[in-house]
């Protein structure tokens, strides 16, 4: 390999660096295969696609690739739709108009006018843009060009980022600085970042952005803010991205001067209708509303003894099905309801299946509690066949080490998507529910809670951008493997050197499991510090019961874990057979979810032959060891990475190792007060006392408003 020092990079360019191809045979092949471009760009979207293509080619191939009018030589790249290009219309590709649909594309190498050409074609302009980005990924990952035949179309319709960004610039659960949206200077000043944000999203097929926090501020729906939103929407439009806003249910009172927000009150429905008309007058392609209602203190239809369906349908009528959708969040639970929090969404929503209007989707978190390092899949998947269910995952790492810990989350997203619900017999995966294929829904989608902020490298940790990338790739095609996504991202973000890619990929693939082990092994969950969720807090027993940790781990002198079998909360009954029986039985329940579903005696023999207590000690230590392994792997990769990014990752891994030990020691010491058993001597013993860990205080943890830290 080339040993000269690499120029420092700051991560701003993400996976769109278009680094020159240095491998000589690959470069030579590319320069032969691509000598000029025929690309008539008659619309804004085609123009940005052409610009991306030509700039990227020049950077990758380090030669100028002219745009010409006609195919006159071998190596011509032809791009467009049958409408934008008579050449493409003439080719009558069999994939058009059929399989690729409205957003897909085809990339083929074939003769055109007797010359060897590469054709990127789609039915729509945005399909061409996606095809261009796919082709550029192909080049960036040094794949061969000789026999191209790629046909690709997204499996879901709404592929969206949910920004939990507040109007004051803070981001709820954001760890990469402040909001990208500079509301104060909008609409007159459009930061260059907005365009790069749109490019990055388009490059992975993301087509929707919810600009505001689901804990919503009604002000976003006032005219001055709508003008700001319109400026962003205008910019994003060329990149195929529609904007959505969060609708605060009580907005008719707060900004509309009404005395009620009752969804069945005529004046309330009329207010929302007028508001929707106002929005569409300035943002003609406005996507719709995302709503968090009657959850964690947010207003909603229950305040008026109305159902979620009443609330969602009222907004859906205001938007109208030909204009936009209501995305109603299924993250609903209430501490006044005595039942297990894990069961509440099903209890509330399953009876309403079939009552939602055609332009309503329900957005369901991957698991029934809250983005924990590991959860079983949400039992709503498969339980509401008459309603389109979107999958919501968290890209920001609220419960997985913020932007300090390296945790590659594609395996976590895949775990949910690949899970078999058995709702229509074996092979009814969550992915089949989510993409609409199982129940024949035309509307489908995936939402990722964004980890993007104002940090120069966008996501804080240099590896955190991989999760943004992975989310987009999986929303487009949930069948791609975590390995392949990591592989692409590494090659595009760092280098194509096989030695680098091989070990960095292995490190990424093991990273999420490492976090599970040192934070919440064996199905433990929600044992983080109160409120900000930074660090361990298994002892938290004050405040709202369903926000404490003792609610979830249920440690006592007999054992550990939440009994959700029929002898306990019976949450297992919300799953279909045979999964239900599998998890109900202590002997067949997967051990990585054991303490989620069972209260298990400390001396219970685990599959390893260890007792539960010893296994817990083993898992926590294994987690810490895995981080040390990551440190060693990364140290060996120094020659392949520029100094700035190398040191950034190295420093963060050092913090991660410290925090993994903190988690291990604090949790084991705490659980030991119940088990009364020793931590086996083969393991490192805790560095401090339990009191020490319990008394640690952290002020101004990112991702939470300052006022929460005031006493
Ligand atoms: O994960 C929890 C977070 C809240 C968040 C909520 C939600 C936006 O702790 O900060 O609020 O989920 O998803 O609504």
């Amino acid at each position: 390999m080339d040993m000269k020092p690499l120029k420092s990079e700051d991560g701003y360019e993400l996976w769109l660096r278009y680094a020159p191809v240095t491998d000589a045979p690959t470069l030579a092949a590319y320069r032969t295969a691509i000598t000029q471009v025929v690309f008539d760009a008659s619309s804004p979207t085609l123009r940005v696609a052409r610009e991306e293509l030509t700039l990227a080619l020049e950077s990758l191939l380090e030669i100028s690739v002219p745009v010409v009018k006609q195919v006159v030589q071998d190596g011509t790249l032809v791009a467009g739709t049958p409408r934008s290009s008579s050449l493409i219309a003439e080719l009558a590709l069999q994939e058009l108009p059929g399989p690729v649909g409205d957003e897909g594309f085809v990339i083929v190498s074939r003769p055109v006018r007797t010359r060897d050409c590469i054709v990127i074609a789609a039915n729509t302009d945005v399909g061409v843009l996606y095809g261009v980005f796919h082709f550029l990924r192909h080049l960036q990952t040094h794949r061969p060009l000789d026999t191209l035949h790629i046909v690709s179309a997204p499996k879901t319709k709404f592929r969206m980022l949910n920004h939990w960004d507040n109007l004051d610039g803070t981001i709820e659960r954001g760890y990469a600085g402040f909001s990208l949206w500079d509301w104060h200077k909008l609409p007159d000043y459009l930061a260059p970042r907005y365009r790069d944000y749109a490019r990055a999203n388009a490059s992975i097929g993301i087509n929707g952005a919810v600009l505001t926090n689901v804990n919503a501020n009604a002000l976003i729906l006032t005219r001055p803010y709508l003008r700001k939103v319109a400026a962003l929407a205008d910019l994003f439009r060329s990149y195929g991205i529609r904007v959505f806003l969060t609708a605060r249910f009580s907005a008719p009172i707060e900004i509309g001067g009404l005395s009620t927000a009752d969804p069945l009150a005529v004046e309330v429905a009329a207010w929302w209708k007028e508001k929707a008309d106002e929005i569409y007058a300035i943002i003609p392609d406005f996507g719709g509303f995302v709503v968090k209602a009657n959850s964690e203190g947010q207003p909603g239809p229950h305040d008026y003894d109305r159902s979620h369906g009443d609330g969602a349908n009222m907004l859906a009528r205001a938007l109208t099905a030909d204009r936009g959708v209501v995305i109603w969040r299924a993250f609903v639970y209430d501490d006044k309801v005595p039942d297990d929090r894990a069961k509440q969404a099903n209890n509330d929503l399953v009876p309403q299946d079939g009552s939602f209007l055609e332009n309503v989707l329900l957005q369901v978190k991957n698991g029934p509690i809250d983005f924990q390092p590991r959860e079983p899949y949400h039992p709503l998947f498969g339980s509401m066949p008459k309603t389109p269910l979107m999958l919501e995952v968290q890209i920001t790492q609220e419960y997985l080490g913020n932007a300090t810990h390296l945790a590659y989350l594609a395996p976590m997203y895949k775990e949910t998507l690949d899970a078999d619900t058995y709702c229509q017999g074996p092979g009814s995966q969550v992915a089949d529910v989510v993409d609409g294929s199982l129940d024949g829904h035309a509307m489908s989608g995936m939402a990722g809670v964004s980890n993007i902020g104002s940090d120069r490298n966008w996501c804080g940790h240099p590896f955190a951008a991989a999760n943004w990338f992975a989310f987009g790739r999986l929303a487009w095609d949930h069948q791609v493997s975590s390995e392949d996504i990591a592989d692409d991202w590494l090659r595009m973000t760092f280098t194509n050197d096989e030695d680098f890619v091989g070990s960095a990929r292995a490190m990424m693939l093991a990273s999420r499991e490492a976090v599970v082990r040192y934070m919440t092994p064996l199905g433990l969950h929600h044992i983080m510090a109160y409120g900000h969720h930074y660090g361990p807090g298994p002892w938290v027993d004050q405040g709202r019961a369903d926000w404490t940790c003792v609610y979830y781990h249920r440690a006592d002198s007999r054992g550990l874990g939440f009994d959700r079998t029929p002898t306990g909360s019976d949450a297992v009954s919300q799953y279909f057979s045979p999964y239900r029986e599998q998890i109900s039985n202590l002997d067949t329940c997967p051990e990585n979810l054991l303490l989620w579903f069972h209260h298990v005696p400390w001396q219970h023999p685990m599959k390893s032959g260890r007792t539960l207590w010893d296994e817990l000690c083993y898992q926590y230590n294994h987690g810490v060891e895995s981080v040390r392994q990551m440190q060693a792997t990364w140290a060996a990769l120094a020659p392949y990475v520029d100094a700035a990014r190398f040191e950034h990752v190295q420093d963060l891994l050092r913090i991660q190792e410290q925090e993994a030990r903190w988690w291990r020691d604090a949790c084991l010491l705490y659980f030991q007060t119940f088990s009364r058993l020793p931590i086996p001597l083969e393991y490192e013993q805790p560095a401090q006392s339990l009191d020490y860990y319990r008394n640690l205080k952290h002020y101004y943890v990112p991702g939470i408003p300052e006022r929460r830290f005031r006493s």
Side-chain angles (χ1 to χ4, degrees), residues 403 457 459-466 489 493-494 634 644-646 648-649 652:
N457 71 3
C459 303
H461 198 299
F463 274 77
W489 181 80
T493 304
F494 292 104
W634 188 248
R645 291 191 296 170
F646 176 78
H648 194 172
V649 174
L652 293 176

Side-chain angles (χ1 to χ4, degrees), residues 286-307:
F286 178 64
F289 294 134
V290 174
V291 187
K292 172 177 178 181
N294 294 120
S295 167
E296 303 187 330
Q298 295 300 303
H302 286 184
D303 304 348
Y304 306 93
D305 284 330
R306 312 296 186 199
S307 68

Side-chain angles (χ1 to χ4, degrees), residues 136-378:
L136 292 175
R137 182 160 79 229
H138 201 90
L139 300 183
Q140 287 171 280
T141 51
H142 295 189
R143 291 184 166 94
L145 293 183
D146 21 10
T147 49
L148 282 173
H149 190 101
I150 300 166
V151 182
S152 182
K155 289 199 165 55
T156 60
K157 189 170 159 66
F158 297 102
R159 306 177 298 278
M160 5 209 318
L161 287 183
N162 285 195
H163 293 270
W164 286 357
D165 291 19
N166 299 314
L167 300 187
D168 66 0
T170 58
I171 305 178
E172 181 148 355
R173 313 307 178 181
Y175 311 102
F178 291 86
S179 176
L180 284 189
W181 324 130
D182 188 351
W183 295 114
H184 182 65
K185 300 196 194 79
L186 282 164
D188 299 313
Y189 172 67
L190 286 169
R193 260 203 172 209
Y194 301 151
R195 187 173 296 281
D196 290 326
Y197 163 86
R199 286 176 55 233
N201 276 334
S203 77
I204 48 176
I206 289 174
N207 66 358
V210 187
L211 302 180
T212 46
N213 191 351
V214 289
N215 290 333
N217 184 335
L219 278 179
I220 192 69
L221 300 175
T222 58
R223 178 57 73 107
Y225 276 100
L226 290 174
R227 286 193 195 289
K228 297 168 192 282
V229 173
L232 291 174
D234 288 345
L235 201 157
F236 296 163
R237 189 166 296 119
S238 319
Y239 294 89
I241 298 167
R242 292 166 82 188
V243 301
F244 293 70
L245 293 174
T246 47
R248 186 164 165 85
F249 205 74
S250 50
I253 303 174
E254 287 150 6
I255 58 167
L258 301 188
S259 58
T260 177
D262 180 351
L264 299 194
V266 180
E267 68 273 27
V268 171
W271 185 86
W272 281 108
K273 177 80 178 57
E274 211 177 296
K275 184 50 72 183
D277 291 346
E278 180 188 350
I279 296 174
Y280 281 103
I282 55 172
I283 311 169
D285 58 350
F286 178 64
F289 294 134
V290 174
V291 187
K292 172 177 178 181
N294 294 120
S295 167
E296 303 187 330
Q298 295 300 303
H302 286 184
D303 304 348
Y304 306 93
D305 284 330
R306 312 296 186 199
S307 68
H308 285 291
D310 293 332
N313 289 344
M314 181 272 295
L315 292 175
R317 278 189 208 98
L319 290 168
T320 71
D322 58 333
R323 296 193 301 193
V325 294
V326 172
I327 297 175
W328 196 266
R329 291 179 85 233
F331 181 65
V332 291
Y333 68 101
D334 186 347
D335 61 329
K336 307 286 177 300
V337 174
D339 208 354
D340 178 1
R341 172 173 162 188
K343 293 171 66 184
Q344 293 187 25
N346 280 54
N347 290 347
D348 199 334
L349 294 165
V350 171
Q352 295 182 60
D353 191 26
S355 66
F356 294 97
L357 288 176
E358 55 170 331
N359 56 333
V360 178
L361 297 107
L362 270 194
Q363 183 168 301
V364 184
K365 289 189 182 183
N366 59 298
I369 296 292
D370 190 14
F371 299 138
Q372 297 302 296
R374 168 163 286 117
E375 298 200 22
Y377 66 88
H378 201 301

